[in-house]
C-alpha cells in the first residue's frame, strides 16, 4: 500500500519536507535495514536517523537496496552530543555521510543543545558553513528551547530550518511551537505518539471510535493539522502503513481543541533540554548500552 497524500512543508531554505516521516529511534541497528526497506516500500519518503542511534548504516543500506533516486527520499541525521564542538562537528558530519552512503543530507540537526558545554553556538556555525558548501540542504537543531534558539539567532544571524522536539498530546509545547512559527522554523515532533502512552487516553480513543480510525491516526492527524512534521516509529508493517495513512484523517476543530486540552506541564517523557548533557563521550553511551 502506498499513499500520495503526505503534504510537503516548505522550509526556510526553500526545500520541502514530507510532513510524515519514518523515525528510527530505538530501532535496533541489526534490524534497521529491514524496517526502513519496509517503510520505503509502504511509501514513506522521509527517514529520520541519528548518529547516536547507531543505525545510520542500516538506513543507508535500505536506501541503496530500494533503488529510489536520491532526490526522492528526504534524509535527516543528527550530530551526537559528544561530537558537539567546532573541532569535531565537521568530521562527524562526514562520517555520517559515509555511513549513509550519501554526498549530502536533506537535514542535519544538532541533536541537543547541551547548555553545560556551551558549544552549540560555534557548532551551529560549523553546520551552517557545511550547508553553504552543499553538504546539507537544510541545517537545523533538535531539543532547542527558546533561550537556545534566541542565542543562535542573535549570535549567528542564521535561522535553523527545523527544531525537532518532543511533542505529543500530553506534552504539546505550545509556547515553543509558537516561537518557532514566529521565526519560520518548522517544528518536527519526536515521540509523536507519546511513545504509545497517549494512545489509550479516552479523548483520543473516543474520537478514533467515532471516525472509525485508530488512536494513533487521531494523534498523528492532530499533529498534521497543527502544521507539525511527525516521525512516528514502528517496526510493525501494519502500524507503519496506518501511521502514514493518518495524512488522510480529518479532525474537527472541536477534536483538535479536545486533544489540545490534554497538555500537561509534567508530560515530558524524554530528557529535559535545559539540563540534558549525556552521553558526553562514546564511553558514556556504551556504558548505558545506548545513545541519544
Ligand atoms: P511498534 O514499533 O511495536 O509499533 P513514538 O513514535 O511516539 O516514539 O511511539 C513509538 C511507539 O509506539 C513504539 O513502541 C511503537 O511500537 C508504537 N506504535 C507505533 N505506531 C503505533 C500505532 N499505530 N499503534 C500503536 N502503537 C504504535
Amino acid at each position: 500500500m502506498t499513499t500520495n497524500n503526505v503534504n510537503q512543508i516548505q522550509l526556510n531554505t526553500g526545500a520541502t519536507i514530507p510532513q510524515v516521516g519514518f523515525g528510527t529511534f530505538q530501532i535496533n541497528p541489526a534490524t534497521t535495514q529491514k524496517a526502513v526497506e519496509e517503510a520505503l516500500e509502504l511509501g514513506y519518503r522521509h527517514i529520520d536517523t541519528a548518529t547516536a542511534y547507531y543505525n545510520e548504516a542500516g538506513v543507508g543500506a535500505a536506501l541503496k537496496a530500494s533503488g529510489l533516486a536520491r532526490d526522492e527520499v528526504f534524509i535527516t541525521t543528527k550530530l551526537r552530543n559528544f561530537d558537539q564542538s567546532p573541532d569535531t562537528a565537521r568530521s562527524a558530519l562526514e562520517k555520517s555521510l559515509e555511513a549513509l552512503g550519501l554526498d549530502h543530507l536533506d537535514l542535519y540537526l544538532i541533536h541537543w543543545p547541551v547548555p553545560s558545554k556551551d558549544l552549540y553556538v560555534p557548532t551551529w556555525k560549523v553546520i551552517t558553513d557545511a550547508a553553504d558548501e552543499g553538504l546539507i540542504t537544510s541545517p537545523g537543531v533538535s531539543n532547542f528551547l527558546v533561550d537556545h534558539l534566541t542565542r543562535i539567532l542573535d549570535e549567528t544571524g542564521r535561522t535553523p530550518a527545523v527544531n525537532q522536539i518532543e511533542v505529543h498530546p500530553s506534552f504539546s509545547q505550545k509556547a515553543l511551537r509558537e516561537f518557532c512559527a514566529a521565526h519560520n522554523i518548522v517544528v518536527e515532533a519526536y515521540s509523536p505518539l507519546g511513545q504509545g502512552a497517549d494512545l489509550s487516553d479516552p479523548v483520543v480513543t473516543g474520537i478514533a471510535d467515532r471516525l472509525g480510525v485508530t488512536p494513533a491516526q487521531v494523534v498523528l492527524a492532530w499533529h498534521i493539522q497543527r502544521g507539525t512534521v511527525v516521525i512516528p516509529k514502528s517496526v510493525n508493517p501494519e502500524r507503519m502503513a496506518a501511521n502514514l495513512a493518518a495524512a488522510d484523517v480529518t479532525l474537527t476543530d472541536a477534536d483538535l481543541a479536545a486533544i489540545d486540552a490534554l497538555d500537561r506541564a509534567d508530560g515530558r517523557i524524554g530528557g529535559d533540554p535545559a539540563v540534558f548533557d549525556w552521553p558526553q563521550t562514546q564511553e558514556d553511551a556504551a556504558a548505558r548500552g545506548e545513545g541519544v
Side-chain angles (χ1 to χ4, degrees), residues 191-196 199 214 216 231-236 239 242-243:
S191 297
L193 306 174
Q195 295 185 8
L199 301 179
T214 69
I231 46 166
K233 169 260 166 187
S234 178
V235 291
N236 172 317
R239 289 170 171 179
N243 292 346

Side-chain angles (χ1 to χ4, degrees), residues 22-206:
F22 182 66
T24 65
F25 176 47
Q26 290 176 332
I27 300 188
N28 187 316
T31 53
T32 298
Q33 180 177 350
K34 181 170 177 290
V36 174
E37 279 187 40
E38 186 80 50
L40 293 169
E41 178 70 28
L42 287 167
Y44 283 87
R45 290 294 179 267
H46 166 184
I47 309 292
D48 180 274
T49 181
T51 305
Y53 305 165
Y54 299 106
N55 60 18
E56 287 169 319
V59 171
L63 275 174
K64 198 169 173 206
S66 75
L68 289 163
R70 174 66 188 90
D71 63 1
E72 288 183 85
V73 188
F74 188 102
I75 302 290
T76 303
T77 193
K78 312 183 191 85
L79 178 74
R80 59 188 173 178
N81 292 349
F82 40 86
D83 291 325
Q84 196 198 119
S85 138
D87 302 326
T88 50
R90 171 67 185 228
S91 62
L93 163 64
E94 287 168 1
K95 278 189 204 143
S96 286
L97 287 167
E98 195 181 332
L100 287 158
L102 300 177
D103 63 5
H104 74 279
L105 294 164
D106 295 287
L107 183 62
Y108 191 56
L109 308 177
I110 299 179
H111 206 145
W112 292 86
V114 196
S116 59
K117 280 174 72 166
D118 195 22
L119 288 173
Y120 62 86
V121 175
T123 301
W124 176 239
K125 289 192 185 130
V126 174
I127 305 296
T128 54
D129 286 349
D132 292 343
E133 278 179 55
L135 297 181
I136 304 164
T137 304
S138 299
V141 296
S142 181
N143 293 297
F144 273 45
L145 302 176
V146 169
D147 288 359
H148 314 130
L149 292 169
T150 302
R151 270 197 70 195
I152 60 171
L153 292 170
D154 288 352
E155 296 183 33
T156 73
R158 296 288 297 258
T159 305
V162 160
N163 188 18
Q164 185 183 114
I165 55 176
E166 179 180 339
V167 184
H168 43 87
S170 55
F171 192 63
S172 66
Q173 303 240 53
K174 188 162 181 278
L176 182 51
R177 282 190 290 123
E178 285 174 356
F179 180 93
C180 289
H183 290 84
N184 200 14
I185 301 167
V186 167
V187 171
E188 271 190 67
Y190 74 74
S191 297
L193 306 174
Q195 295 185 8
D198 287 350
L199 301 179
S200 51
D201 187 283
V203 169
V204 171
T205 56

Side-chain angles (χ1 to χ4, degrees), residues 54 80 82 279-290:
Y54 299 106
R80 59 188 173 178
F82 40 86
Q280 294 285 20
T281 66
Q282 193 139 19
E283 290 70 33
D284 291 346
R288 293 186 68 104
E290 62 179 307

